[in-house]
C-alpha cells in the first residue's frame, strides 16, 4: 500500500508511533467525530459524503449510524488515504470512494447526497469559499452540512510564541526558536491554516446559499492542561501533516548544545508533572440546504 505525507501523518507522525499518545489522540478524535455526526442528524437511508475522509474517522462513524440502505462516499485528496479506507471497509457495499479535493468535487453529481461532513479539512484549502459552493451543489434540498475546524488564527494572535503553553524561563529562548520554525510562513493571509476564523466560515456558508446556519465556537486561553507524559515520544510527533516533528524542528533551529539543554529541561518538566497550558479555538458549523 502506498503512502504520502497525509496518510503517514494520520497513521504514524501524528503520535510518533507511540501507543500512549495514540490513545490520547483517539479519545479527542472520538469527541470530534461524534459532535460532527450528531449535528448531521443522520437518517438510516442517508447518503453521506465525507470530504477529506483521511483514514475514515467520520465516514466509518457514519456507517455505524446508517442502516443497510445507507451509503457513505469517502472523498479525499490523498489516494493513499483512500486505499487505507478501502482496506478497512472490506466488502461493505455501502461504501464508495472519490479521489478529489474539497474545492472540486466534480465526480459527485449535483443534488446527490443528503449530508456533507468534514473535519479539519478547510485549514488545508486555498479556496475555502469554493469548497462551500461545492458542498452546496452536491446536497439535495433539505440536506445538511456538518463540519469541524480548528481556528488556528486564535493561537497566532494570542500566543504566537507558545509551545505546549510552557512558560519556563530556563529555556524560553530555545522554545521561541523552535516555535519560529512552525510560525515562519504561517502568518495571517499567507497560510490557509491561519487565514480564516469562525466568522468567515459563517459568511462562506451564507454566500454559498445555505440557511439555518449555526456556529458553535469555543476558545481557551492559557487553560491548565495535562503535563507532558513522555518527552521522547512527543519529540517524534508532528502537529500537522505538512509540519516537521518537534524533534526535527529542534534540530533545524538549535545547535547540538542547545538541543541537549532543551531536552534536559523538558524531561525535568515531564518528570515533575508540570502542567502545560492550552490555548486554542475551535468551531462546529451546521447548515441546511433550503
Amino acid at each position: 500500500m502506498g503512502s504520502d505525507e497525509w496518510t503517514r501523518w494520520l497513521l504514524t507522525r501524528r503520535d510518533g508511533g507511540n501507543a500512549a499518545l495514540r490513545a490520547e489522540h483517539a479519545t479527542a478524535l472520538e469527541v470530534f467525530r461524534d459532535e460532527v455526526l450528531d449535528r448531521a442528524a443522520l437518517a438510516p437511508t442517508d447518503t453521506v459524503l465525507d470530504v477529506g475522509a483521511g483514514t475514515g474517522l467520520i465516514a466509518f462513524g457514519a456507517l455505524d449510524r446508517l442502516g443497510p440502505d445507507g451509503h457513505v462516499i469517502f472523498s479525499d485528496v490523498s489516494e493513499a488515504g483512500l486505499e487505507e479506507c478501502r482496506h478497512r471497509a472490506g466488502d461493505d457495499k455501502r461504501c464508495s470512494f472519490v479521489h478529489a479535493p474539497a474545492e472540486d468535487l466534480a465526480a459527485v453529481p449535483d443534488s446527490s447526497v443528503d449530508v456533507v461532513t468534514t473535519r479539519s479539512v478547510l485549514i488545508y484549502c486555498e479556496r475555502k469559499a469554493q469548497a462551500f459552493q461545492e458542498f452546496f451543489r452536491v446536497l439535495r434540498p433539505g440536506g445538511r452540512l456538518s463540519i469541524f475546524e480548528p481556528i488556528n488564527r486564535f493561537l497566532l494572535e494570542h500566543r504566537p510564541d507558545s509551545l505546549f503553553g510552557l512558560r519556563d524561563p530556563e529555556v524560553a529562548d530555545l522554545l521561541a526558536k523552535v516555535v519560529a520554525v512552525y510560525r515562519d510562513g504561517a502568518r495571517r493571509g499567507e497560510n490557509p491554516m491561519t487565514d480564516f476564523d469562525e466568522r468567515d466560515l459563517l459568511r462562506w456558508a451564507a454566500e454559498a446559499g445555505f440557511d439555518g446556519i449555526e456556529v458553535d465556537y469555543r476558545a481557551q486561553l492559557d487553560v491548565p492542561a495535562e503535563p507532558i507524559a513522555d518527552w521522547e515520544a512527543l519529540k517524534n510527533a508532528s502537529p500537522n501533516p505538512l509540519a516537521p516533528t518537534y524533534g526535527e524542528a529542534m534540530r533545524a533551529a538549535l545547535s547540538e548544545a542547545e538541543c541537549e539543554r532543551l531536552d534536559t529541561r523538558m524531561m525535568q518538566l515531564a518528570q515533575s508533572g508540570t502542567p502545560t497550558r492550552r490555548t486554542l479555538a475551535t468551531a462546529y458549523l451546521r447548515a441546511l440546504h433550503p
Side-chain angles (χ1 to χ4, degrees), residues 18 55 120 124 137 142 145 192 232:
N18 180 268
T55 52
S120 301
Y124 302 109
R137 178 186 64 79
L145 172 67
E232 286 300 321

Side-chain angles (χ1 to χ4, degrees), residues 70-204:
H71 188 79
V72 175
I73 304 168
F74 295 67
S75 172
D76 203 276
V77 72
S78 167
E79 185 60 52
L82 290 175
E83 281 300 314
E84 177 71 19
C85 290
R86 288 189 186 98
H87 175 72
R88 295 184 180 186
D91 59 358
D92 193 330
K93 303 302 183 185
R94 299 177 298 162
C95 303
S96 59
F97 305 88
V98 172
H99 183 210
E103 305 98 320
D104 183 4
L105 301 170
V108 182
D110 295 358
S111 305
S112 61
V113 305
D114 301 291
V115 175
V116 171
T117 58
T118 75
R119 184 196 66 83
S120 301
V121 170
L122 295 174
I123 55 172
Y124 302 109
C125 294
E126 297 281 353
R127 296 175 294 142
K128 297 177 178 65
Q130 178 64 31
F132 274 95
Q133 292 169 22
E134 284 291 88
F135 301 160
F136 187 85
R137 178 186 64 79
V138 302
L139 278 167
R140 299 185 179 105
R144 288 90 68 204
L145 172 67
S146 182
I147 72 174
F148 166 86
E149 290 294 331
I151 308 300
N152 291 331
R153 178 184 288 179
F154 181 84
L155 177 62
L156 191 64
E157 289 181 344
H158 291 279
R159 293 293 180 267
D161 297 320
S162 175
L163 187 65
F164 314 123
L166 291 172
R167 300 177 184 174
D168 188 75
E170 290 191 28
V171 290
D173 58 328
L174 305 183
L175 290 171
K177 290 181 181 180
V178 175
V179 170
V181 174
Y182 296 104
R183 190 181 62 236
D184 289 349
R187 301 182 188 279
R188 184 190 300 184
E190 298 178 4
N191 187 307
M193 298 187 75
T194 56
D195 68 356
F196 72 103
D197 63 20
E198 70 285 354
R199 295 164 295 185
D200 296 307
L201 296 176
L202 191 152
R203 174 172 55 83
W204 290 323

